[in-house]
Amino acid sequence: MKLSTPKITLFGAGVLAAASLTACGGGGTPAGAAAGSAPKLAFIQGVAGDEFYVSMQCGIESAAKAAGATVNTQGPAKFDPTLQKPIVDSVVASHPDAILVAPTDVAAMQAPLKAAAAAGIKVVLVDTTVQDPSFASSAIASDNKGGGLEAFKAIKALSPKGGKVLVISTDPGVSTADARVAGFEEGAKADSSFQYVGVQYSHNDPAEAAKLVSAALAKDPDIVGVFAANTFAAEGTATGVRQAGKQNQVKIVGFDAGPAQVKQLKEGVVQALIAQEPASIGTQGVEQAIKAIKGESTQKMIQTGFKQITADNISGDGAQYVYKSSCQ
């Protein structure tokens, strides 16, 4: 999951985008399907216009086209279950063959998605999950805990003498972010040269993240590293560090690799990024959805990898991990 306020589109724009995606996602009939009945897929993003989900969408479109399926894509304007649930309910009412969805809360999205499965719609969870995903045909996500541990390793490499480290996350209850925090915390607590001062929640608001970091640096002026567990957090963390005049002291590791984050990396605002493989999540999501529609066995859980991107590799093998802002 990647989050960045300037890149969030209005819900209406997401709906318009969905219409165009339906057109470019279809054509043909997969083997085993009745003639003229191309599988209908719906992709419900965590956030409309977010490059992480756009990159996932590109993988979904490509795989759907290859399978002869159509795709309708929608997403809320914020990573918020109160905005996502009405979209889920509307999509369920249209009764597609399968829904690929990134739940915005492990508890709040449990019942709506379980109801979709009960209605005979195949549900594939992509990126995030829910408290009990047993109703889903498949759940596909990055190794978020491993990514959090990798973020700690990045800070350790940047500050080998150790010191105090902080995490700025989104909200508790977001499965991916919670796993990243757990991975980072595990790494920090296992290394006696580092002191973990905890996690604070920015509620997906860069301004709030900046305030939290400024306050944390006032309380603990010797903090050497901050892990920003999503893009909003990274954006605000960089602002807070800059306002405190601590750019040379505090190393920032962000999660995700959209164009804005890569720009920050190249400018030295952020020292490392942990990039996911959203297109792969999307491609495998479609593959599992088609299998479920055909009544074939599916893989209940699939975990994808990540890549640490730094200034040293962004022009080399790290470049292929940068997220897309469009599928053109």
Side-chain angles (χ1 to χ4, degrees):
M1 174 188 60
K2 168 192 161 297
L3 301 164
S4 181
T5 298
K7 299 171 192 64
I8 290 178
T9 60
L10 294 175
F11 173 67
V15 174
L16 290 174
S20 65
L21 288 175
T22 304
C24 63
T29 305
S37 60
K40 295 189 299 181
L41 309 180
F43 173 37
I44 303 175
Q45 302 161 309
V47 185
D50 181 305
E51 288 113 341
F52 174 82
Y53 291 113
V54 170
S55 298
M56 189 183 296
Q57 174 187 316
C58 297
I60 288 172
E61 283 187 41
S62 178
K65 183 176 182 180
T70 62
V71 183
N72 180 288
T73 298
Q74 298 183 51
K78 293 182 180 181
F79 196 86
D80 184 336
T82 64
L83 299 179
Q84 190 182 49
K85 183 182 180 298
I87 299 174
V88 170
D89 293 343
S90 175
V91 168
V92 169
S94 72
H95 214 284
D97 296 302
I99 295 173
L100 291 84
V101 57
T104 49
D105 186 270
V106 292
M109 297 310 298
Q110 173 80 32
L113 294 175
K114 188 174 182 179
I121 300 169
K122 305 303 181 183
V123 177
V124 175
L125 305 176
V126 288
D127 181 38
T128 46
T129 188
V130 290
Q131 288 174 334
D132 178 9
S134 58
F135 63 84
S137 298
S138 184
I140 306 160
S142 304
D143 177 5
N144 284 285
K145 187 174 182 180
L149 179 58
E150 184 72 8
F152 171 71
K153 291 177 179 177
I155 284 182
K156 182 175 180 177
L158 291 161
S159 303
K161 293 182 180 179
K164 294 178 180 178
V165 289
L166 169 72
V167 177
I168 300 294
S169 188
T170 166
D171 289 297
V174 179
S175 62
T176 49
D178 288 348
R180 294 166 196 169
V181 173
F184 185 91
E185 179 179 345
E186 184 177 292
K189 288 185 174 180
D191 191 324
S192 60
S193 62
F194 285 87
Q195 181 182 345
Y196 179 61
V197 298
V199 55
Q200 298 193 42
Y201 297 99
S202 62
H203 314 302
N204 293 334
D205 183 350
E208 179 65 19
K211 290 179 184 177
L212 291 173
V213 170
S214 294
L217 287 170
K219 180 177 180 292
D220 292 292
D222 52 346
I223 287 174
V224 299
V226 179
F227 170 40
N230 60 35
T231 303
F232 283 161
E235 183 181 338
T237 294
T239 300
V241 170
R242 185 170 58 252
Q243 289 175 342
K246 301 271 189 180
Q247 299 98 312
N248 295 329
Q249 172 188 312
V250 180
K251 308 304 180 185
I252 304 171
V253 175
F255 215 93
D256 286 314
Q261 291 68 57
V262 171
K263 182 174 184 289
Q264 287 184 326
L265 179 70
K266 290 180 176 179
E267 292 174 346
V269 175
V270 171
Q271 283 68 52
L273 299 171
I274 309 301
Q276 303 181 75
E277 299 176 346
S280 177
I281 294 174
T283 298
Q284 294 187 70
V286 171
E287 291 171 355
Q288 297 302 310
I290 295 297
K291 285 183 177 181
I293 292 167
K294 292 180 179 180
E296 300 174 0
S297 61
T298 60
Q299 190 171 341
K300 290 292 286 184
M301 293 190 67
I302 299 174
Q303 198 167 71
T304 59
F306 52 83
K307 173 74 173 180
Q308 184 183 148
I309 303 177
T310 65
D312 292 334
N313 66 13
I314 185 58
S315 297
D317 62 344
Q320 64 183 301
Y321 290 87
V322 177
Y323 302 166
K324 296 180 179 180
S325 54
S326 77
C327 297
Q328 304 303 318

